[in-house]
Amino acid sequence: MKQVYNFNAGPAALPREVLEKAKEELLDFEDTGISIMEHSHRGKHYEAVHEEAKSLLKELLSIPNEYEILFLQGGASLQFAMIPMNFMKQNEKPGYILTGAWSEKALKEAKKIGEAEEIVSGKSSNYSSIPEIPSLSSDDYTYVHVTSNNTIFGTQWASFDNLEHPFLIADMSSDILSKRFPVEKFGMIYAGAQKNLGPAGVTVVIMRKDVADKANKELPTILSYETHIKNRSLYNTPPTFSIYLLKLVLEWAKDLGGLEELERRNKEKAKLIYDAIDESGGFYTGHAEKDSRSLMNITFTLQNEELTKQFLKEAQEQGFSGLAGHRSVGGCRASAYNAVPMEACKALKKFMNEFQEKQGN
Amino acid sequence: MKQVYNFNAGPAALPREVLEKAKEELLDFEDTGISIMEHSHRGKHYEAVHEEAKSLLKELLSIPNEYEILFLQGGASLQFAMIPMNFMKQNEKPGYILTGAWSEKALKEAKKIGEAEEIVSGKSSNYSSIPEIPSLSSDDYTYVHVTSNNTIFGTQWASFDNLEHPFLIADMSSDILSKRFPVEKFGMIYAGAQKNLGPAGVTVVIMRKDVADKANKELPTILSYETHIKNRSLYNTPPTFSIYLLKLVLEWAKDLGGLEELERRNKEKAKLIYDAIDESGGFYTGHAEKDSRSLMNITFTLQNEELTKQFLKEAQEQGFSGLAGHRSVGGCRASAYNAVPMEACKALKKFMNEFQEKQGN
């Protein structure tokens, strides 16, 4: 089999052990004679998977008891609409902290539903850093929405210490499960699975119960969080195979040593690539300010377009995939999510060094 | 491996050949060195899968050129909301033909969005048949919604000959791809995949372009059909692995001989079980009227609850799974979707005959 270093931004690399396990039991799940995909979502075999995935998430992220865990569909994009539909109140407005293209989209969708406000934005510096957060009052905002990691720009909140509001909502699609964070600070956390949690097709929502109770009731049934809470994410047929894979990923994370070990590895992995940038004497330039650098998405440019093209072409030939940056930043992006192995990051550093040397730098 | 006859109502049996192919290439898709789940949804490898799935659907169902094929998430339940959100107009109302619990749900969701009307309902006879359809005028209804097959009650439209309206919408979640039907009669057709098309997690929508053009524009982006048409179902990350499996199921259907061969088999399979009912002299009673019988879901009762329990218990012991009926009908249900093999239906007939004999009937 071809050696591939998968740096895709999402859908992204999955742990090899997870894929191997899924392959092994694809035709016969736990001696039931049929695939997990062929089991009823109301049968005991799938039910056990469903509940185990929740309890592993709870354990790994230290989710307090007063939170519900939901498995929905439609990705973060559907949450962008469901959040204002469920939580906007008349004569009140939510606030959005803009740290990239995904937060912009979230705000845009809120504005389609009602009045919503930009609190602060990093746009003027092309989202190269997480902006200073002003003090936030619950009188000012119904809820405050943040994006914890910005895939396109390669920035990430180093901590949430300066963020205080009674109803914080975080889109953690691209860094959930990558490091420890205080769940109890948030009223709601959501994440499309396709970066750190599993395959595309399932969205994890973690919601404090008091927040859910206050949600609007007059909504299409499927768009109301209450529906999914009441029915334990089984109101309609859930994406059972995606949730099964999520469970396998969570088991893998636990076996590895949980969040602390993942965080240790992620820091080491990201450092390899940031070092290649920082030690290049300007041959490579990082897009993100150092104090806002993402452990998940490392964005950098080369001196000109021609060189960038050459870099991406040679990288591709050597088995590196997914390194082309998003058009709004240009250049390159290495997404080193949980499942990207250390060796892939070492290989990339080596390639970056060698490419630079070859150019006579 | 255990012999299992999978009669689950959905998620349901998948063709063995499909699961074997998926297993074979789970870790290495087409010599790319990574799983199809790990490929970017914007890369050429997944793109080819995405387009091939559409073109196979088009070919198998003879979908005319003026239709768009979409791959969405959220199942039929999300369509129940999206349809009225997209197509309801002020001072107009849509009409719903009620043939079971799912049509009831569709109407209920429409009524949450605006004014919607029940055209005719089979509820008074506990949905044991498809009711007579009155003549429908476009002056009366913006659109007319039908459910082509009713999983819970085991009824199915034998034909759509008496159904005429310029904008017909059909929920075909449980019988799409099971027999030939006139696509061109409908403005929109939709189907959750988890019965005849693939695993849970992807919804197929087939929509005539003129209908899409008339949809409401002021909607959350993700809930607007226009968004998905413009972006070829790639506005947000699609459930790539589910769509890949859908593609494999469609290839399997084509290799088998397409809709005509599937219909021939489905008729033969259903006949085996209906014969066991009809030849039982009242030991088994079918729920559906004969002219409304479903080829997909065969519903029947035994003379009393105790006997039903015994039947289900012994069936389970002999490897039949998913035979318990829905609580609103009681008794038993055998779902014989496309992927359920002839042998399973033969085995069920044999078991039904033997169980009856054992009871001294």
Side-chain angles (χ1 to χ4, degrees), chain B residues 51-99:
Chain B
E51 292 305 319
E52 181 63 11
K54 280 198 239 174
S55 97
L56 282 163
L57 257 180
K58 192 170 171 185
E59 180 184 345
L60 284 162
L61 299 182
S62 304
I63 301 173
N65 283 333
E66 61 267 30
Y67 285 75
E68 300 281 354
I69 299 171
L70 304 177
F71 302 135
L72 306 183
Q73 295 183 62
S77 296
L78 185 56
Q79 296 308 305
F80 295 167
M82 280 177 71
I83 289 166
M85 288 174 90
N86 278 267
F87 298 124
M88 271 192 175
K89 303 281 173 208
Q90 275 211 313
N91 306 318
E92 287 185 21
K93 60 182 186 315
Y96 282 70
I97 294 174
L98 303 194
T99 53

Side-chain angles (χ1 to χ4, degrees), chain B residues 31 50 66 74 108 116 149 162 189 198 200 211 214 219 221 225 279 286 289 300 308 359:
Chain B
D31 292 322
H50 194 83
E66 61 267 30
K108 191 176 149 220
N149 182 76
N162 294 326
I189 292 158
V211 156
K214 279 183 287 184
L219 291 172
T221 311
Y225 290 116
E279 292 163 3
E289 301 293 328
F300 58 96
T308 306
Q359 307 301 319

Side-chain angles (χ1 to χ4, degrees), chain B residues 145-350:
Chain B
H145 181 280
V146 302
T147 314
S148 59
N149 182 76
N150 303 282
T151 44
I152 292 177
F153 300 94
T155 63
Q156 187 176 22
W157 292 63
S159 94
F160 298 109
D161 288 351
N162 294 326
L163 185 69
E164 294 293 346
H165 187 275
F167 186 6
L168 289 171
I169 299 181
D171 176 358
M172 295 198 178
S173 292
S174 54
D175 70 350
I176 196 166
L177 205 71
S178 70
K179 60 174 188 173
R180 181 66 62 196
F181 69 93
V183 173
E184 59 281 2
K185 199 156 192 166
F186 296 88
M188 172 181 169
I189 292 158
Y190 65 101
Q194 67 269 19
K195 287 134 191 324
N196 266 337
L197 293 178
V202 57
T203 314
V204 169
V205 171
I206 301 163
M207 187 176 287
R208 216 171 50 221
K209 286 170 193 168
D210 66 308
V211 156
D213 291 342
K214 279 183 287 184
N216 300 325
K217 304 296 173 204
E218 297 306 304
L219 291 172
T221 311
I222 189 89
L223 298 175
S224 160
Y225 290 116
E226 196 188 26
T227 301
H228 301 290
I229 291 172
K230 273 192 183 161
N231 293 281
R232 298 182 303 114
S233 308
L234 293 161
Y235 169 70
N236 61 329
T237 314
T240 54
F241 190 69
S242 299
I243 295 167
Y244 157 76
L245 282 168
L246 163 64
K247 190 205 83 155
L248 294 186
V249 169
L250 296 171
E251 283 173 345
W252 168 85
K254 185 179 169 181
D255 288 348
L256 219 62
L259 278 199
E260 282 64 27
E261 175 60 14
L262 283 164
E263 180 168 355
R264 192 193 64 70
R265 289 179 184 217
N266 287 329
K267 283 183 173 162
E268 200 176 322
K269 280 154 51 186
K271 186 174 184 303
L272 287 163
I273 306 167
Y274 283 123
D275 279 354
I277 295 169
D278 295 339
E279 292 163 3
S280 74
F283 185 81
Y284 301 109
T285 310
H287 175 75
E289 301 293 328
K290 285 193 178 174
D291 60 358
S292 296
R293 279 178 165 177
S294 168
L295 295 181
M296 299 282 98
N297 312 95
I298 296 132
T299 49
F300 58 96
T301 52
L302 284 85
Q303 284 128 322
N304 57 59
E305 279 222 17
E306 203 187 333
L307 205 57
T308 306
K309 261 192 193 157
Q310 186 63 22
F311 176 87
L312 290 171
K313 183 173 166 282
E314 290 187 23
Q316 184 80 39
E317 285 162 9
Q318 299 208 21
F320 296 94
S321 86
L323 287 180
H326 193 274
R327 62 186 178 281
S328 46
V329 178
C332 308
R333 168 175 57 181
S335 297
Y337 298 118
N338 282 352
V340 173
M342 190 72 67
E343 302 72 57
C345 297
K346 284 185 182 157
L348 179 55
K349 183 183 185 185
K350 187 157 168 279

Side-chain angles (χ1 to χ4, degrees), chain A residues 12-24:
Chain A
L14 286 160
R16 175 110 321 217
E17 298 88 330
V18 164
L19 290 171
E20 274 163 3
K21 172 88 170 161
K23 179 175 179 168
E24 187 190 308

Side-chain angles (χ1 to χ4, degrees), chain A residues 14 38 73 109 112 219 221, chain B residues 14 38 74 109 112 219 221:
Chain A
L14 286 160
E38 300 176 292
Q73 295 182 61
E109 294 305 315
K112 285 192 163 202
L219 291 173
T221 311
Chain B
L14 286 160
E38 300 177 292
E109 294 305 317
K112 284 191 163 200
L219 291 172
T221 311

Side-chain angles (χ1 to χ4, degrees), chain A residues 48-345:
Chain A
V49 169
H50 194 83
E51 292 306 318
E52 181 64 11
K54 278 197 241 176
S55 95
L56 283 163
L57 258 179
K58 193 172 169 182
E59 181 184 344
L60 284 162
L61 299 183
S62 304
I63 302 173
N65 282 332
E66 61 268 29
Y67 285 74
E68 301 279 354
I69 300 171
L70 303 177
F71 301 135
L72 305 182
Q73 295 182 61
S77 297
L78 185 55
Q79 295 309 306
F80 295 167
M82 280 178 71
I83 289 166
M85 288 174 89
N86 278 266
F87 298 124
M88 271 193 177
K89 304 279 173 210
Q90 275 209 313
N91 307 320
E92 288 184 22
K93 59 183 188 311
Y96 283 70
I97 294 174
L98 304 194
T99 53
W102 294 103
S103 359
E104 282 180 7
K105 283 196 186 193
L107 174 59
K108 189 175 152 223
E109 294 305 315
K111 285 185 171 171
K112 285 192 163 202
I113 311 290
E115 213 188 325
E117 197 174 290
E118 169 187 315
I119 296 173
V120 59
S121 168
K123 197 184 175 95
S124 60
S125 69
N126 201 18
Y127 293 119
S128 61
S129 66
I130 303 296
E132 284 287 313
I133 308 305
S135 99
L136 307 165
S137 146
S138 60
D139 296 338
D140 293 335
Y141 304 111
T142 320
Y143 62 81
V144 169
H145 181 279
V146 303
T147 313
S148 58
N149 182 76
N150 303 283
T151 44
I152 292 177
F153 300 94
T155 64
Q156 185 176 22
W157 291 63
S159 94
F160 300 110
D161 288 349
N162 293 327
L163 184 68
E164 294 294 345
H165 187 274
F167 187 5
L168 288 172
I169 300 181
D171 175 358
M172 296 198 177
S173 293
S174 54
D175 70 350
I176 195 166
L177 205 70
S178 71
K179 59 174 187 173
R180 181 67 60 197
F181 69 93
V183 173
E184 60 282 1
K185 198 154 193 167
F186 296 88
M188 173 180 170
I189 291 159
Y190 64 101
Q194 67 270 18
K195 285 137 193 325
N196 267 338
L197 294 177
V202 58
T203 314
V204 169
V205 172
I206 301 163
M207 189 176 287
R208 213 170 53 220
K209 286 170 193 166
D210 67 305
V211 156
D213 291 343
K214 279 184 286 184
N216 300 324
K217 303 297 174 201
E218 298 304 305
L219 291 173
T221 311
I222 189 89
L223 299 176
S224 161
Y225 290 116
E226 194 188 27
T227 301
H228 301 290
I229 291 171
K230 273 192 183 162
N231 294 280
R232 299 183 300 117
S233 309
L234 292 162
Y235 168 71
N236 62 329
T237 314
T240 55
F241 190 69
S242 299
I243 294 168
Y244 156 78
L245 283 169
L246 164 63
K247 190 203 84 155
L248 295 186
V249 169
L250 296 171
E251 282 172 347
W252 168 84
K254 185 180 167 178
D255 288 347
L256 220 61
L259 280 198
E260 282 64 27
E261 175 60 16
L262 283 164
E263 181 168 353
R264 193 193 63 74
R265 289 180 185 216
N266 287 331
K267 284 182 173 161
E268 200 176 322
K269 279 153 55 185
K271 186 173 184 301
L272 286 164
I273 306 167
Y274 284 123
D275 279 353
I277 296 168
D278 294 340
E279 294 161 5
S280 73
F283 185 80
Y284 301 109
T285 311
H287 176 74
E289 301 293 326
K290 283 192 180 178
D291 60 359
S292 297
R293 277 178 168 179
S294 169
L295 295 180
M296 299 281 99
N297 312 96
I298 296 130
T299 47
F300 58 95
T301 51
L302 285 85
Q303 285 128 320
N304 58 56
E305 278 221 20
E306 203 186 335
L307 205 56
T308 306
K309 261 192 193 156
Q310 185 65 20
F311 177 86
L312 290 170
K313 183 172 165 282
E314 289 186 24
Q316 184 80 38
E317 285 162 8
Q318 299 207 24
F320 296 94
S321 86
L323 286 180
H326 193 275
R327 62 184 177 281
S328 45
V329 180
C332 308
R333 168 175 57 180
S335 297
Y337 298 119
N338 283 350
V340 174
M342 191 71 66
E343 301 72 57
C345 297

